[in-house]
Amino acid sequence: LAKTTQPISMDSYEGQEVNITCSHNNIATNDYITWYQQFPSQGPRFIIQGYKTKVTNEVASLFIPADRKSSTLSLPRVSLSDTAVYYCLVVSVGGSQGNLIFGKGTKLSVKP
Amino acid sequence: KAGVTQTPRYLIKTRGQQVTLSCSPISGHRSVSWYQQTPGQGLQFLFEYFSETQRNKGNFPGRFSGRQFSNSRSEMNVSTLELGDSALYLCASSLVGVGSDTQYFGPGTRLTVL
């Protein structure tokens, strides 16, 4: 199962773009990259998922290079409410079963 | 549509006791998975149930068990509680299952073992 590595913490200011990079060197062919956001005392919330190239939704963009050994979550124009822990996951699917392996996450602090 | 609900939200137990936590998935979701979150180990996958069958399991001792009912509601049981079992226990539901589908998490049950 692919393990992920991401920075422990990041600081930013309101209105800036934030890019969080995740390394997943052992990603397998059938694996997807998924990002979740978690606020204190709440369960994680799905942000975005991708397989390769670029995926964009109303919340974020996900950039995945051709070798898929890393990915970058991009949050445009962050606000104070984006202060949270962001988890990068490699979702391994084996037949009808699957595993979710959460790393330590990146604690993003957005300052005014 | 109502989200994932977990009961109770907070629980205090003593070592050696057992505990049962409950999770009600989003209507129509057949997969329920459970996770343990601690400051030291982070979020760890416990197991997944789909249509009343456990189909995937994380690396936890047999003291941790679960089941799923025909209405997709799930319970998790921890027997012979240890201090290290103090954690936030999260459940998540999805239509198809872990790995294939977005997981919707509940607010969690905060278990404290004294």
Side-chain angles (χ1 to χ4, degrees):
Chain A
L1 297 171
K3 181 180 174 181
T4 61
T5 303
Q6 52 184 123
I8 293 174
S9 63
M10 292 182 71
D11 292 331
S12 182
Y13 291 93
E14 282 191 293
Q16 288 187 332
E17 178 185 73
V18 171
N19 295 309
I20 306 175
T21 296
C22 178
S23 166
H24 27 78
N25 290 320
N26 296 324
I27 191 167
T29 303
N30 292 334
D31 292 343
Y32 284 76
I33 297 118
T34 308
W35 287 80
Y36 282 80
Q37 173 194 56
Q38 186 178 25
F39 299 110
S41 299
Q42 293 185 26
R45 183 176 73 102
F46 172 86
I47 300 176
I48 197 166
Q49 178 172 278
Y51 185 79
K52 61 180 178 180
T53 62
K54 177 183 174 182
V55 179
T56 298
N57 61 22
E58 65 277 6
V59 176
S61 293
L62 179 59
F63 300 91
I64 306 169
D67 67 5
R68 303 200 327 123
K69 293 184 183 299
S70 66
S71 59
T72 300
L73 174 72
S74 181
L75 304 172
R77 302 178 61 81
V78 294
S79 64
L80 295 176
S81 63
D82 292 317
T83 294
V85 178
Y86 292 83
Y87 294 95
C88 165
L89 283 74
V90 171
V91 181
S92 302
V93 180
S96 62
Q97 300 182 355
N99 259 319
L100 280 190
I101 300 177
F102 285 82
K104 297 297 184 183
T106 297
K107 187 174 183 179
L108 173 65
S109 297
V110 180
K111 303 173 183 177
Chain B
K1 195 183 249 189
V4 177
T5 57
Q6 293 186 243
T7 56
R9 291 294 311 278
Y10 302 91
L11 206 49
I12 299 175
K13 292 285 188 179
T14 56
R15 279 181 298 175
Q17 287 187 309
Q18 75 166 15
V19 66
T20 299
L21 311 181
S22 180
C23 173
S24 293
I26 291 172
S27 178
H29 286 190
R30 296 167 64 189
S31 167
V32 174
S33 52
W34 288 88
Y35 305 81
Q36 181 195 66
Q37 186 170 31
T38 60
Q41 298 299 317
L43 255 165
Q44 293 183 284
F45 173 78
L46 279 156
F47 33 65
E48 180 200 9
Y49 284 86
F50 185 86
S51 293
E52 302 178 64
T53 301
Q54 185 185 91
R55 67 177 183 182
N56 203 21
K57 191 177 189 302
N59 190 26
F60 277 81
R63 299 186 297 109
F64 292 82
S65 63
R67 59 177 175 170
Q68 187 179 33
F69 302 95
S70 58
N71 62 358
S72 293
R73 189 178 70 84
S74 177
E75 289 182 346
M76 189 191 85
N77 184 274
V78 187
S79 62
T80 319
L81 284 166
E82 301 177 358
L83 295 178
D85 296 333
S86 293
L88 179 67
Y89 289 89
L90 295 156
C91 81
S93 76
S94 67
L95 283 168
V96 178
V98 171
S100 305
D101 207 358
T102 299
Q103 301 297 301
Y104 295 87
F105 284 82
T109 295
R110 173 74 63 184
L111 172 65
T112 302
V113 181
L114 302 176

